[in-house]
Amino acid sequence: MDASGELAALLRAWRERLAPAEAGLTAHTARRTAGLRREEVAVLAGVSVDYVVRLEQGRAAAPSAQVCAALARALRLSDTEQEHLFRLAGHAMEGGRISRLVPASVRRLMERTGERPVAVFDAMWDLLLWNPLWAALMGDFSALREADRNLLWLHFTSDSDCHIHGPGSPEALDASFVADLRRSAGRYPDDPRLHRLVERLSARSEPFRALWRRPEVAEHGPTVKRITHSEVGLLELDCDILRTHRGDLRIVTYSAEPGSPSDSKLALLAAIGTQRLRAGSAD
């Protein structure tokens, strides 16, 4: 069986073994077959039903790394199964490439952190996974192309409604991001996605291009961030960055001092989600 055929067979098997309750769904009607329906997998993974059908029939091109991660999350795959899925889709991590695998333990952590904005990034700051409050604070990344879901790309090129500032000067924050990316470039010298990101940023952003010429290498660590949101204004948040030993992932979480104005603004964002406040609706 070739890779596409094996991938198709495994996706069907993984879907059929997962009970709706295990995926957080309620089965209101009797089912003729066990497991999830294709429509349910599509909703959970954020892809079209037609694409799920074509994948299960071996008629679709290999899914992207982002889609693989979404399918792994929807189907509750183990770390070993997720690694095999990536390998079949042509995203093997050998040869100094950055891992995009999100371990099951990290996915479970994300599901239990609804009170704080939390997101998971890989070693080049590609956004892999985020919770609803992160989207409410930082923007709806599901609307972006996969290639643009990168923290440095958004920071240096995007006209976002949300702007991040560090405790020091804007230039210091820029330099910290670039020095961290250079550190990853040294750890993963053969990763083609990282090379493409550097080329795109260099072509688009003069500040990035100037900083990339400097030989600074550092790790972007936890700090206090000031975030200006288009709807709720300024928030002062503690930014903590946890790193996983496996896969070199960064788990970024924001939190506010209890009872502070920023804490109240986070609670408001949790209530309104990604919907924009309408004029006069606050009353």
Side-chain angles (χ1 to χ4, degrees):
M1 186 182 297
D2 60 14
S4 62
E6 183 178 355
L7 176 61
L10 282 172
L11 287 174
R12 290 194 301 271
W14 286 334
R15 174 175 61 81
E16 292 169 356
R17 77 177 183 187
L18 186 63
E22 294 177 297
L25 301 174
T26 302
H28 296 289
T29 59
R31 295 176 179 242
R32 290 175 293 180
T33 59
L36 298 182
R37 299 186 176 103
R38 292 188 179 97
E39 294 83 356
E40 293 167 333
V41 172
V43 170
L44 291 170
V47 298
S48 70
V49 179
D50 178 67
Y51 186 60
V52 173
V53 171
R54 287 187 288 116
L55 279 175
E56 289 195 359
Q57 294 177 348
R59 297 188 293 109
S64 68
Q66 188 78 26
V67 171
C68 286
L71 289 170
R73 182 175 68 251
L75 296 168
R76 295 293 198 268
L77 301 187
S78 69
D79 294 346
T80 301
E81 291 167 338
Q82 183 180 190
E83 184 175 355
H84 192 61
L85 168 62
F86 271 70
R87 196 176 303 279
L88 289 174
H91 306 296
M93 303 306 166
E94 293 86 355
R97 295 193 178 193
I98 294 172
S99 173
R100 296 172 64 85
L101 298 176
V102 180
S105 58
V106 175
R107 295 201 304 268
R108 289 194 297 270
L109 174 66
M110 291 288 295
E111 292 168 355
R112 290 167 170 79
T113 53
E115 295 181 358
R116 294 182 178 183
V118 183
V120 179
F121 297 85
D122 66 13
M124 58 181 274
W125 293 101
D126 270 359
L127 182 61
L128 305 180
L129 193 62
W130 61 94
N131 68 358
L133 189 49
W134 180 279
L137 175 66
M138 306 299 290
D140 184 10
F141 293 96
S142 63
L144 299 177
R145 296 188 310 150
E146 183 178 347
D148 294 341
R149 295 177 189 174
N150 178 274
L151 182 63
L152 274 74
W153 177 258
L154 295 173
H155 179 76
F156 282 101
T157 70
S158 174
D159 296 325
S160 172
D161 289 339
C162 179
H163 303 280
I164 304 175
H165 311 276
S169 67
E171 293 77 15
L173 181 61
D174 292 353
S176 178
F177 280 142
V178 176
D180 187 283
L181 186 66
R182 184 178 296 282
R183 174 179 177 270
S184 293
R187 291 168 59 86
Y188 304 98
D190 300 323
D191 190 276
R193 293 187 304 109
L194 195 153
H195 289 298
R196 284 195 295 272
L197 175 64
V198 171
E199 290 172 358
R200 293 178 69 209
L201 282 168
S202 297
R204 179 76 177 268
S205 170
E206 171 57 34
F208 176 87
R209 187 162 56 247
L211 287 167
W212 190 251
R213 296 192 193 104
R214 291 157 51 172
E216 296 179 358
V217 179
E219 184 175 316
H220 184 70
T223 184
V224 176
K225 296 283 179 65
R226 296 190 304 276
I227 298 178
T228 305
H229 191 278
S230 61
E231 302 293 349
V232 300
L234 179 66
L235 300 94
E236 293 192 1
L237 304 174
D238 291 320
C239 175
D240 292 297
I241 303 175
L242 311 176
R243 297 175 185 263
T244 65
H245 176 70
R246 178 177 182 177
D248 201 12
L249 300 177
R250 297 101 181 276
I251 305 171
V252 179
T253 177
Y254 287 114
S255 62
E257 182 180 351
S260 67
S262 295
D263 190 37
S264 299
K265 291 175 182 179
L266 275 183
L268 177 59
L269 285 173
I272 65 175
T274 56
Q275 297 178 358
R276 292 188 176 276
L277 289 170
R278 299 171 186 240
S281 65
D283 294 333

